[in-house]
Amino acid sequence: GQQLNQSPQSMFIQEGEDVSMNCTSSSIFNTWLWYKQDPGEGPVLLIALYKAGELTSNGRLTAQFGITRKDSFLNISASIPSDVGIYFCAGQIKGTYKYIFGTGTRLKVLA
Amino acid sequence: DVKVTQSSRYLVKRTGEKVFLECVQDMDHENMFWYRQDPGLGLRLIYFSYDVKMKEKGDIPEGYSVSREKKERFSLILESASTNQTSMYLCASSPRGGSGNTIYFGEGSWLTVV
């Protein structure tokens, strides 16, 4: 099935640093979602975005819905060791039930 | 909080066995989904249901069937398990509507077919 381009694929950062990742698509979406998945667990919703240009925060996390509706980014500020995991985006195709998922960004935080 | 519960977290089954994976959601969502997740392949949709007794095939329905007799419950059935069905299975739900919906996932079911 179709997947969204997500970058970077993986990153190692120092505790306290900020992190940025993004997703791009050739399709227009009406919803962008960001999830975190720990090993062996299901994805947990972090942030949901419903409007082009929308900027939403959840604690140290901030995500934006791109103006073109074809991209989104997620920022994590002042990372901590428990931020380790896989982050992935999802976009919902307008007027459908279909969600397309990103390839994931594996984050490792070095204490 | 939305809760999607998958009844079995870890299963080991033999080739040829019939396998049932159960999923229950408590948010009165109309839509329910079954995905499988494999390294390098991401999330792939197996089946989708938009109402009781209604279902649609996803991207990889071969070897699977589903049942939705009640709104809150969506079951995935492997009629005759095979080793290439060893995977992590994720159930999800979302409210009806074509726009602005959030999809919520369960904890996942790890199935190993030997």
Side-chain angles (χ1 to χ4, degrees):
Chain A
Q2 185 184 349
Q3 285 185 296
L4 297 172
N5 294 320
Q6 186 170 346
S7 64
Q9 282 190 325
S10 63
M11 50 197 315
F12 287 71
I13 60 168
Q14 293 286 338
E15 184 177 358
E17 285 185 352
D18 296 345
V19 173
S20 187
M21 60 193 79
N22 68 82
C23 280
T24 60
S25 167
S26 56
S27 303
I28 290 174
F29 293 135
N30 68 320
T31 301
W32 279 98
L33 307 167
W34 284 93
Y35 295 87
K36 178 174 184 262
Q37 187 173 21
D38 292 324
E41 303 293 324
V44 174
L45 181 70
L46 299 173
I47 292 180
L49 302 159
Y50 301 115
K51 200 169 152 186
E54 181 181 353
L55 184 73
T56 296
S57 292
N58 177 7
R60 294 179 294 106
L61 279 61
T62 301
Q64 184 158 29
F65 192 139
I67 288 289
T68 65
R69 295 182 169 268
K70 293 183 177 182
D71 61 346
S72 177
F73 73 76
L74 175 71
N75 284 346
I76 305 172
S77 63
S79 56
I80 58 178
S82 62
D83 288 336
V84 163
I86 298 176
Y87 293 80
F88 64 88
C89 60
Q92 186 191 18
I93 297 175
K94 187 178 178 181
T96 77
Y97 65 84
K98 275 188 168 285
Y99 297 84
I100 311 297
F101 297 91
T103 47
T105 294
R106 186 180 296 273
L107 179 64
K108 182 138 181 134
V109 179
L110 305 171
Chain B
D1 277 357
V2 174
K3 188 96 173 127
V4 179
T5 303
Q6 295 182 229
S7 57
S8 303
R9 291 299 315 278
Y10 303 96
L11 306 96
V12 179
K13 297 291 182 181
R14 294 194 179 278
T15 300
E17 273 193 81
K18 191 168 186 174
V19 181
F20 292 87
L21 298 179
E22 307 283 348
C23 175
V24 176
Q25 51 95 3
D26 66 358
M27 281 303 291
D28 203 36
H29 284 168
E30 288 80 9
N31 300 333
M32 295 189 76
F33 309 79
W34 275 105
Y35 293 89
R36 66 178 278 178
Q37 186 177 36
D38 300 287
L41 298 176
L43 281 154
R44 293 182 290 167
L45 180 64
I46 305 171
Y47 266 99
F48 159 67
S49 169
Y50 54 90
D51 204 344
V52 174
K53 296 191 188 294
M54 306 305 288
K55 62 187 179 187
E56 283 191 16
K57 292 180 180 178
D59 299 318
I60 51 163
E62 297 78 18
Y64 303 95
S65 62
V66 290
S67 172
R68 189 146 180 222
E69 297 297 317
K70 293 186 178 182
K71 190 176 185 181
E72 68 271 17
R73 188 179 297 270
F74 193 34
S75 303
L76 179 69
I77 303 152
L78 287 67
E79 294 290 342
S80 177
S82 63
T83 54
N84 63 11
Q85 292 178 308
T86 292
S87 186
M88 160 85 132
Y89 289 87
L90 288 164
C91 176
S93 74
S94 74
R96 175 170 289 157
S99 298
N101 289 328
T102 301
I103 182 169
Y104 298 90
F105 288 91
E107 315 95 323
S109 297
W110 282 97
L111 172 66
T112 301
V113 182
V114 296

